[in-house]
Amino acid sequence: MNANKEFQIMITVPSTKNAKDSTVKATEKKEQTPEVIHDLEKDVTDMIHEIGVPAHIKGYQYLREAIMMSVEDPAMISSITKILYPTVAKKNQTTSSRVERAIRHAIDIVWIKGNQELLKEIFGTFVMEGQERPTNSQFIAAVADWMRLEHQIKVS
């Protein structure tokens, strides 16, 4: 028996538009188009500019990548030190600890000098109560969640 046989599974789904059935291959995977990825990058970039992250610091790039990854995969937040930082570090040819420190520095700056109105919108009472700045995980998770909700970004 040949173990290398290839087969396709066909699924028939009733169409809501008409009485005909539409057939979809189970092997087809809907992938994001470059326009969708570009829009996410632009939306995140615009938001971190608006929130007040200075573009000249390393934490700016790392934070942008971390937020984009977290928007695309919300489970990333639960593995911030095991997956998120190492992935960002590898893309930027640096270490996880440097990524963590640079993001923390960027958040420190934003929390003190950033757009307080936008921070209140994203973090709510956390800002109003005069709390110390959020942790890196809290900041990335809140911003990624806000991006998904406010900009109707669909997670595939």
Side-chain angles (χ1 to χ4, degrees):
M1 184 182 258
N2 188 354
N4 292 330
K5 291 185 179 179
E6 189 174 310
F7 62 93
Q8 291 183 346
I9 299 172
M10 303 297 277
I11 301 171
T12 303
V13 181
S15 175
T16 56
K17 292 182 180 177
N18 54 34
K20 290 184 179 180
D21 288 346
S22 52
T23 304
V24 179
K25 291 180 184 176
T27 57
E28 289 180 13
K29 184 178 179 183
K30 187 175 183 180
E31 295 187 21
Q32 289 187 342
T33 62
E35 297 84 34
V36 173
I37 293 168
H38 182 268
D39 288 344
L40 174 60
E41 185 173 2
K42 183 179 181 332
D43 289 345
V44 171
T45 301
D46 291 347
M47 193 282 309
I48 62 175
H49 280 159
E50 188 177 344
I51 205 169
V53 180
H56 69 281
I57 62 173
K58 288 185 181 189
Y60 170 89
Q61 286 285 43
Y62 302 159
L63 191 55
R64 184 173 72 169
E65 288 179 26
I67 292 168
M68 286 190 305
M69 290 170 60
S70 299
V71 167
E72 292 170 343
D73 182 7
M76 191 69 70
I77 286 298
S78 62
S79 303
I80 195 163
T81 57
K82 301 284 185 191
I83 298 173
L84 187 68
Y85 290 157
T87 305
V88 172
K90 189 173 184 178
K91 285 182 181 180
N92 292 281
Q93 300 173 342
T94 189
T95 64
S96 294
S97 60
R98 287 180 179 166
V99 168
E100 184 274 331
R101 174 66 185 108
I103 289 175
R104 186 165 15 105
H105 176 66
I107 294 169
D108 283 339
I109 292 170
V110 166
W111 207 249
I112 296 166
K113 299 178 182 178
N115 180 340
Q116 295 300 309
E117 290 303 313
L118 185 54
L119 289 172
K120 285 178 188 172
E121 185 177 335
I122 296 170
F123 293 94
T125 58
F126 202 87
V127 176
M128 291 188 274
E129 292 175 356
Q131 297 273 340
E132 288 185 24
R133 72 162 193 83
T135 64
N136 290 9
S137 299
Q138 290 170 329
F139 188 90
I140 294 166
V143 171
D145 191 44
W146 185 81
M147 292 291 298
R148 276 191 300 275
L149 294 173
E150 289 296 314
H151 297 283
Q152 288 86 34
I153 295 171
K154 303 285 189 235
V155 179
S156 53

